[in-house]
Amino acid sequence: SGKENVYANNSHGSMVLSCIAGRINGQNIGLATGAEFLLARTEQATGEPFSEEENWLAAAEWADQNGADIISSSLGYTFNRYFQEQMDGKTSLVTRSANMAARKGMLVVNAAGNDGDSKWKFLGAPADADSVLTVGGVSPTTGFHIGFSSFGPTADKRLKPNVIAYGSVIAASKKGLEHVFGTSFSTPLVSGFAACAWQMNRDMNNMQLFELLEKSGHLYPYFDYANGYGIPQASYFTDSIKIRADTTFSFVKDGNILRVTVLKEYLDSIGTGYNLLYYHRENKRNYLDKYAVIDVYDENPVEFNMDDFEKGEKVMVHFKNYTVEYVF
C-alpha cells in the first residue's frame, strides 16, 4: 500500500511474528525474542495478483539495504498462477528473487505451503528455490506429517521440504492467544531457531548455516519429501560431543526377502512417546520412488522383496535416531 503502518490489515503477519518475537506476561513464547525485526507486508490478502511477487522482491531489497540477516516468509504461489512443472527453482519471479536474496547473504526461510490435502499437493514458489530453507509441517501430538503440509520434491526432483516444525501452534491474534494451523507457523519456528543458532557463531555465512540446520534435523541423514531432514535440534549446536546413536534395528535376509527387525528392548518402550520408523526407496537417478512412516508395534514392521530392486538402488531406514542404508 506504500504506507509505513503494517498493522492495520490482516492479522496473519502478527500471528507469524508472535512465533519469533512473542512475549506474554513477561514470558517468552517466541523463539528469538532478542532479535531486531523489519516488517514488510507484501500480500494483498485478497486474490493472488502478480504484483505480490514484485512486492516480495521489493521487500527483499529493502531488507538487504537495512541489514537483515534472515527473511522469514510465510506465503506461496501455486495453481492460481503456475503449473506444477514450473516449481523448478528457476521460473517464478519470487523464486528467482529468493535465490538473489540468498546470494546477498541472507538466510531465506519459506513455508512449504498448505496444499498437501488438496489437488495441487506440492510446494509452491518460492519454496522451490534451491537456496531457500523450505519448512514443512508436523503434528506435535503424533509426530506424523500434518495433513495439509505440502509435499516435495521440486519439479526437477530436488529435496523439499528441507526441514519441518510444528504446524499446530498457539499464536497471538486479534482475539488474543489462538490455536492456529499451517506451515505459515512452522516457518517462523525455524526462523527463530536459525537466529539463535547463528547468534552462537556469527562467522558462519547463510549457506553454511543452511547446511547445519539440515544436519541438525532429528532424522538426518534420512530424508523424504514430506519431512525433509526432520525437526532441527538445539543439541546439535550446543553439544560439543556428537554421541553415536545406539543400534535400534537390523536388516535380516530371508531368501529374497529383506526384513527390518527391531531390537527387543525398543519394542518394550511401545506406548511411550513416538515410535515412528521411516524408510525410503531411492532409485539410481538419486530421487525417491517411495517413502513411508510406520508406527511400530511389532518386531518386523516392514519388509522388502529384493527381486523388486535393480542393482544400485537403495533403501534407507530410520528408527529412534539410528539410520542405516542398504544398497542392492
Side-chain angles (χ1 to χ4, degrees):
S1 62
K3 299 176 182 177
E4 288 190 8
N5 184 0
V6 297
Y7 301 103
N9 299 283
N10 193 288
S11 63
H12 181 263
S14 297
M15 291 190 286
V16 168
L17 180 62
S18 72
C19 295
I20 312 176
R23 299 187 71 193
I24 181 168
N25 298 328
Q27 182 177 353
N28 294 341
I29 62 170
L31 269 75
T33 56
E36 294 179 303
F37 299 94
L38 298 164
L39 307 181
R41 177 173 175 254
T42 67
E43 294 277 284
Q44 286 188 192
T46 55
E48 294 282 20
F50 183 74
S51 58
E52 290 181 335
E53 295 192 44
E54 296 172 334
N55 295 343
W56 198 100
L57 171 56
E61 291 178 336
W62 171 75
D64 182 39
Q65 290 163 1
N66 285 279
D69 297 299
I70 298 171
I71 292 176
S72 188
S73 172
S74 290
L75 49 74
Y77 304 102
T78 56
F79 58 85
N80 288 299
R81 194 173 302 146
Y82 297 108
F83 297 105
Q84 289 176 356
E85 57 265 28
Q86 293 176 295
M87 298 296 101
D88 57 2
K90 56 189 177 185
T91 297
S92 73
L93 174 65
V94 72
T95 293
R96 289 180 282 123
S97 301
N99 277 333
M100 183 176 70
R103 287 196 297 273
K104 294 289 185 178
M106 292 180 282
L107 178 71
V108 184
V109 187
N110 202 94
N114 301 328
D115 291 300
D117 52 7
S118 75
K119 289 183 179 180
W120 175 270
K121 291 193 179 300
F122 300 106
L123 77 167
D128 63 324
D130 62 357
S131 297
V132 164
L133 189 74
T134 300
V135 185
V138 62
S139 167
T141 55
T142 67
F144 282 107
H145 166 269
I146 201 162
F148 55 74
S149 181
S150 296
F151 295 94
T154 61
D156 55 336
K157 302 299 185 183
R158 285 175 291 107
L159 171 65
K160 293 290 177 179
N162 302 92
V163 294
I164 52 175
Y166 293 155
S168 167
V169 306
I170 303 298
S173 74
K174 292 178 179 179
K175 301 176 183 177
L177 293 180
E178 188 175 350
H179 189 190
V180 292
F181 300 86
T183 57
S184 281
F185 309 109
S186 312
T187 299
L189 295 179
V190 171
S191 300
F193 182 94
C196 296
W198 211 347
Q199 187 67 31
M200 293 180 68
N201 181 3
R202 295 296 287 138
D203 292 332
M204 284 190 291
N205 65 39
N206 60 327
M207 298 314 292
Q208 288 171 329
L209 177 60
F210 184 115
E211 182 179 357
L212 291 180
L213 289 167
E214 287 186 323
K215 288 183 176 179
S216 77
H218 80 293
L219 302 177
Y220 188 88
Y222 174 87
F223 64 91
D224 64 41
Y225 301 144
N227 300 288
Y229 290 113
I231 303 171
Q233 302 293 297
S235 58
Y236 183 87
F237 295 92
T238 58
D239 294 354
S240 57
I241 300 175
K242 306 297 186 241
I243 300 173
R244 184 173 179 177
D246 293 333
T247 302
T248 60
F249 67 89
S250 61
F251 286 114
V252 178
K253 289 183 183 179
D254 182 8
N256 66 340
I257 300 298
L258 180 69
R259 291 192 176 92
V260 175
T261 300
V262 174
L263 273 60
K264 185 179 184 303
E265 56 263 39
Y266 294 96
L267 291 177
D268 293 340
S269 64
I270 285 176
T272 59
Y274 301 153
N275 285 282
L276 303 182
L277 181 144
Y278 300 75
Y279 74 87
H280 73 221
R281 173 176 174 171
E282 183 177 343
N283 61 37
K284 292 188 289 187
R285 297 179 297 281
N286 301 120
Y287 60 86
L288 306 186
D289 287 330
K290 182 179 181 179
Y291 58 92
V293 184
I294 299 171
D295 207 351
V296 174
Y297 289 102
D298 56 46
E299 184 181 20
N300 299 117
V302 63
E303 62 182 36
F304 307 97
N305 188 329
M306 300 180 71
D307 294 338
D308 294 338
F309 292 82
E310 296 180 21
K311 186 177 181 180
E313 292 189 326
K314 305 172 185 176
V315 164
M316 183 178 282
V317 177
H318 175 96
F319 182 61
K320 291 189 177 294
N321 300 321
Y322 182 64
T323 305
V324 179
E325 183 177 77
Y326 187 95
V327 182
F328 290 89

